[in-house]
Amino acid sequence: MLEITTTRHNPLIDPQLHVWGWEIPLYLFVGGVVAGMMVIAGLAMLRTAKGEDTARFFSVQTPLLAFVLLNVGMLALLLDLAHPLYVWAVYLTFEPASPMSWGSWVLLLVYAILLVSALVRLHEAWPWLGRTLPAVERWSDAITRSPARLALLGWMNVVFGVAVGIYTGILLNTMVARPLWNTSVLPVLFLVSGVSAGAAAMHLASRFFGRRPAPQGLVAGFLSALAQPLGPQPPEKSTVDTLIRADVALLALELVLLALLVLGMLTSTASHAAAAALVLGGPYTLAFWGAIVVAGILVPILLQSLELSRRIPHTVLPALLVLAGGYVLRWVMVNAGQASEIVQAAAR
Amino acid sequence: MARYGMVIDTRKCVGCMDCVVACQTENSVPQGYCRDWITTEVRGEFPSLTMEIRSERCNHCDNPPCVSCCPTGASHVEPDGRFVHVTASRCIGCKACIASCPYGARFVHPDGYVDKCTFCAHRVRQGQDPACVSVCPTRCMYFGDLDDPQSKVSELLRTRRWHVLLPDAGTKPRVYYLS
């Protein structure tokens, strides 16, 4: 028997670490969605630069939606800070050993890349912008009419999209004190889950808003531009099918990564095995298997496969489930990860 | 340059918590928080039991994960004495260091920065022992330069059996427990 008692009683630390509440899971989820949308939009830009007509696919509203989501995520990150007014201190230094320092600087670059990507051709969907700021129209044309510039923007979206997706996992993965996070599978899992959720978010937005005629003016024009992530016109069926097909493949990959994560934990040290027990009979079992694996991956794979083979009509249900599953994945990992700790050996 | 460490004799410690109260008084630790605490570890089956009482705190690790994960450099190692400290005015309260510490030594101060044991550097720099060491009624705590072979702490670590907390974490803690 090993019985440990302590007189320590610090808030947020005892009896169990819980320094991160809803803000960090939300930020990690939104960061993943933004990463996914950047990768998908970047790939579409590269195809456009090669001369393919993907205008109806990528348009510029994907980066715009991603840009708005990025702001939501960064707001959540700010709200999590114990001293949000000091947030600028992050940008007075670069700490090469700190994943959060890397992430803060990458976020700054991503902010600029998404802003430029969103402004390119935005004036087409939001005429008010082109009328008020003719310069935006000139810069946009300078980029869209040069395949080399568009390809560069596309590559930046892909590279920094992958960087953000991986960063959301490395942030947790580098902490030796939390065995559930301390696995190299985590950054890849978060990246794949993020791209899958990004595809789902684009799919969802296209289903909700894609078929409305675009309103004009300042506010209505902006909102309608935001609400048409697949382009000013309704997306083609083949475009939506491509998104769904990619989503099914990514979900299957996510399933493999989740299995590797649990298997790796179970076969590692006693601390890692104890961390795996949190989702294998522990308090996070139902959320992990029910919400993430069944409702967030298996059911969407089934529904989307049936949709692709035209056995059932298209609905937004799979996209909603994928997004909900993506959030629950971050929620479980952040909370169960805080509950996991290095365990001490007992004689028996 | 000194590399300060603490040696605590668990055979003498009775868990009176004088060290805890001395720290709270010396460092104006806010009510409801503590920078050091008493851990009691009982092993075996009744009636064959053995108990170890430890006064625990920040281990001022040689390889501190809380310092490497800090995005602002607020969490840092002081060049004199290798104290692991937090600069309150640079801390944004992201709490990454709290999550990265395997010992649970850190907490968020009500004023919005991360706080923890300083090894009473302000006292040590004036030639005094940390507050917790100075008040111990059983004299079970020792503080000194680990790099100085003539120091009391070096002598104890040479001559007595000792262990550190969670050595597998690779943090190289500098609070040693004699057993």
Side-chain angles (χ1 to χ4, degrees), chain A residues 56-70:
Chain A
R56 301 181 97 194
F57 178 82
F58 108 88
S59 187
V60 204
Q61 285 83 337
T62 302
L64 184 62
L65 189 58
F67 179 72
V68 171
L69 285 175
L70 180 69

Side-chain angles (χ1 to χ4, degrees), chain A residues 1-14 17 19-21 23-24 79-84 86-101 104-105 171 174-178 181 338 341-348, chain B residues 17 20 24 32-45 49 54 56 65 67-74 88-109 111-113 165-166 168-171:
Chain A
M1 184 198 75
L2 172 66
E3 187 182 88
I4 299 173
T5 50
T6 177
T7 65
R8 194 182 63 198
H9 45 67
N10 287 335
L12 302 183
I13 316 296
D14 301 302
L17 183 77
V19 284
W20 286 334
E23 298 96 339
I24 294 298
L79 288 177
D80 171 70
L81 298 181
H83 208 310
Y86 276 3
V87 67
W88 45 266
V90 167
Y91 294 112
L92 293 182
T93 177
F94 172 64
E95 301 289 331
S98 162
M100 211 180 265
S101 185
S104 305
W105 284 102
L171 182 68
T174 47
M175 293 184 184
V176 64
R178 309 291 147 211
W181 296 342
Q338 292 185 92
E341 58 186 3
I342 301 176
V343 297
Q344 292 188 47
R348 47 179 290 205
Chain B
M17 292 185 65
V20 178
Q24 287 168 330
Y33 294 78
C34 55
R35 289 182 178 186
D36 57 352
W37 58 93
I38 299 294
T39 296
T40 312
E41 198 176 291
V42 179
R43 286 172 187 268
E45 301 287 336
L49 295 170
R54 294 190 300 257
E56 295 187 359
V67 170
S68 54
C69 75
C70 178
T72 66
S89 60
R90 294 197 78 174
C91 176
I92 60 174
C94 72
K95 295 164 279 186
C97 56
I98 299 179
S100 78
C101 175
Y103 306 107
R106 295 173 162 240
F107 57 87
V108 181
H109 191 282
D111 287 349
Y113 60 88
L165 300 182
L166 307 178
D168 293 347
T171 50

Side-chain angles (χ1 to χ4, degrees), chain A residues 40-58:
Chain A
I40 295 168
L43 290 174
M45 286 180 203
L46 289 174
R47 285 171 61 177
T48 313
K50 276 188 187 160
E52 282 181 57
D53 180 21
T54 53
R56 301 181 97 194
F57 178 82
F58 108 88

Side-chain angles (χ1 to χ4, degrees), chain A residues 192 195-197 199-200 203 240-256 296-309 314 318-319 322:
Chain A
V192 171
V195 179
S196 147
H203 180 191
V240 178
D241 275 1
T242 308
L243 271 182
I244 294 177
R245 207 167 285 125
D247 200 28
V248 169
L250 288 163
L251 286 173
L253 187 56
E254 199 182 328
L255 206 56
V256 173
I297 298 179
L298 291 177
V299 172
I301 287 181
L302 180 71
L303 289 178
Q304 290 182 332
S305 304
L306 291 175
E307 284 177 6
L308 285 172
S309 57
H314 267 159
V322 167

